[in-house]
Amino acid sequence: MTDTHAPSSLTETQYDEAVRKVLGRVEQTIDAWLEDDVVDIDSARSSGMLTLTLPNRTQLIINAQPPLQEIWLAAKRGGFHFRSADGERWVDTRGGDEFFALLSSCASEQAGKSLTF
C-alpha cells in the first residue's frame, strides 16, 4: 500500500503534467455533461485552480499545490488533500479515497443527482 503521508516522488515536470491531466479530465467530463444536458455546471480555470459552480450555486474547488505536490479539493463536505500514488491515481492523505471517486461523491451530493467523473 502507498504511504499517503510520504513526499511525492514526481519531478516538477511530472507533477505539472499529472495535474494538467486531472484538470483536463474534469473539464472534458463537464463539457460532455453540458452537451448531453446532464447537468449545468459552470467551470472557471485560473492557472492551477478549477472552480465548479453547480446549478444551486454551491461550488467545488480543485487547486494544485505545487510546493507540496498535492491536489486539494474544497467541497461542502470539507477540504481534502491528495497525493499522487503512481503519477496517475491521486489518493486522499487522510482517508485514502481516490480523487475522482471522492470528487464524484461530493459533486453528486451538491448537485442532488448521481455524477461520475
Side-chain angles (χ1 to χ4, degrees):
M1 178 170 212
T2 302
D3 180 359
T4 57
H5 300 288
S8 175
S9 61
L10 299 176
T11 66
E12 191 172 322
T13 302
Q14 290 170 323
Y15 170 78
D16 290 341
E17 177 61 28
V19 167
R20 274 195 300 277
K21 285 171 78 173
V22 167
L23 297 179
R25 178 174 163 184
V26 171
E27 289 173 320
Q28 287 176 346
T29 301
I30 290 169
D31 288 345
W33 287 341
L34 291 171
E35 189 173 303
D36 296 339
D37 202 27
V38 173
V39 65
D40 185 17
I41 296 179
D42 180 44
S43 65
R45 189 169 177 177
S46 175
S47 190
M49 185 168 75
L50 181 60
T51 302
L52 310 179
T53 304
L54 288 87
N56 62 4
R57 310 307 296 158
T58 65
Q59 293 185 326
L60 296 160
I61 300 170
I62 303 164
N63 195 8
Q65 294 294 317
L68 302 172
Q69 288 202 345
E70 293 182 350
I71 295 175
W72 290 1
L73 170 63
K76 282 182 76 173
R77 187 191 300 183
F80 305 92
H81 300 187
F82 299 85
R83 286 208 185 109
S84 175
D86 55 13
E88 296 291 324
R89 280 184 347 101
W90 292 82
V91 179
D92 179 38
T93 59
R94 287 177 291 180
D97 293 313
E98 191 273 333
F99 174 78
F100 287 105
L102 190 57
L103 176 61
S104 297
S105 178
C106 290
S108 295
E109 286 174 10
Q110 290 181 222
K113 63 174 18 180
S114 180
L115 300 171
T116 303
F117 282 89

